[in-house]
Amino acid sequence: MVTFYGSELPSRLMLGTAQYPSPKVLAEAFRRSGAGIATVSVRREAAGGEGGAFWDLVRELGVRLLPNTAGCHTAREAVTTARMARELFGTDWIKLEVIGHADTLQPDPWGLVEAARILSDDGFKVFPYTTEDLVLAERLIEAGCEVLMPWGAPIGTGLGLANRYGLRSLRAQFPQVPMVVDAGLGRPSQAAEAMEMGFDAVLLNTAVAKADDPAAMAEGFARAVEAGRLGYEAGAMEPRDMAAPSTPLIGKAFLA
């Protein structure tokens, strides 16, 4: 179980809903993964006129909906899109994206904080897509965000955890803040590593939707997330430079 903004969810895996071959494949991926949250681009649904159909699909899946402001490049755009999402889907949860760099899709820190403050004051429960920057994280928390979503790597790259030091530092600096590693994960092992670091959940889309078998990949990520979390909670051993015998010498018989 994981809790965001006072709501308890059954799974630490969150899945996006874009790029799947068909609605049937999408539904099967969610079923096999057990994911508790589905994200959807408000702009894509509004532009295609498919908001009602998508909501019907999500309702049948029995998962929580997290609309996002993907494609927004200014705080004003993001705020307008978030308010559209609240009307369209009837939720005050919003994944906030304010893109500042066209090639890497890296968030615009100034626009992100501005939009987060406006939306928090407007009653939204904001999930900001951010980098691992400690100062930006602090500003987002001050703006009212109770959850952070640092990237693992640029969206859609599959590079995994590109800045392990930065992510570990972020996790250690704000131990009580729920954090979701969002974007850049390409393999289940990368999701497990994020969970072993102590992150609370992971969000991914492309790695599942574009797999040869999306449903099987979704299940693979679900198992990896569970294994990584168990490893973290159990207290995984720290690496060391020198070998240490697993069988003690004390009490061992020696032949003369």
Side-chain angles (χ1 to χ4, degrees), residues 37-112:
I37 289 182
T39 64
V40 60
S41 169
V42 178
R43 291 184 140 206
R44 176 168 61 83
E45 295 306 320
E50 300 172 352
F54 179 81
W55 172 243
D56 289 342
L57 173 60
V58 172
R59 183 169 51 194
E60 292 173 3
L61 294 174
V63 300
R64 181 85 184 233
L65 182 63
L66 179 62
N68 68 46
T69 63
C72 293
H73 292 263
T74 67
R76 182 177 180 179
E77 272 187 294
V79 169
T80 300
T81 303
R83 288 171 175 162
M84 288 172 54
R86 183 160 59 184
E87 293 183 12
L88 183 61
F89 297 112
T91 178
D92 56 7
W93 281 25
I94 192 73
K95 179 191 169 189
L96 178 62
E97 297 183 30
V98 182
I99 301 303
H101 193 273
D103 291 333
T104 63
L105 301 181
Q106 180 171 324
D108 173 355
W110 293 275
L112 187 64

Side-chain angles (χ1 to χ4, degrees), residues 6 22 31 141 185 200 236 244 253:
S22 70
R31 186 189 69 79
I141 294 169
L185 300 180
D200 298 276

Side-chain angles (χ1 to χ4, degrees), residues 59-254:
R59 183 169 51 194
E60 292 173 3
L61 294 174
V63 300
R64 181 85 184 233
L65 182 63
L66 179 62
N68 68 46
T69 63
C72 293
H73 292 263
T74 67
R76 182 177 180 179
E77 272 187 294
V79 169
T80 300
T81 303
R83 288 171 175 162
M84 288 172 54
R86 183 160 59 184
E87 293 183 12
L88 183 61
F89 297 112
T91 178
D92 56 7
W93 281 25
I94 192 73
K95 179 191 169 189
L96 178 62
E97 297 183 30
V98 182
I99 301 303
H101 193 273
D103 291 333
T104 63
L105 301 181
Q106 180 171 324
D108 173 355
W110 293 275
L112 187 64
V113 172
E114 179 185 353
R117 182 174 292 110
I118 293 170
L119 291 173
S120 294
D121 289 345
D122 197 21
F124 281 89
K125 308 297 190 295
V126 181
F127 294 69
Y129 168 61
T130 181
T131 64
E132 66 277 10
D133 185 274
L134 296 177
V135 177
L136 177 54
E138 187 168 7
R139 296 294 181 270
L140 288 169
I141 294 169
E142 291 172 352
C145 299
E146 297 180 15
V147 177
L148 297 177
M149 302 185 79
W151 66 353
I155 295 171
T157 62
L159 292 172
L161 307 181
N163 184 357
R164 290 169 175 79
Y165 170 78
L167 288 169
R168 288 193 184 97
S169 298
L170 180 66
R171 179 68 284 180
Q173 184 69 28
F174 304 100
Q176 303 305 318
V177 177
M179 293 189 192
V180 182
V181 173
D182 175 20
L185 300 180
R187 298 175 182 273
S189 58
Q190 296 165 351
E193 183 180 4
M195 300 304 294
E196 288 172 354
M197 287 184 180
F199 287 93
D200 298 276
V202 299
L203 170 59
L204 53 129
N205 189 164
T206 307
V208 169
K210 290 297 187 179
D212 292 340
D213 186 339
M217 185 63 76
E219 183 177 343
F221 269 101
R223 295 185 183 187
V225 166
E226 182 178 355
R229 184 65 187 185
L230 285 172
Y232 170 73
E233 293 178 344
M237 68 176 289
E238 293 297 324
R240 53 194 176 200
D241 295 329
M242 300 297 292
S246 57
T247 302
L249 296 179
I250 298 176
K252 183 177 180 180
F254 289 90

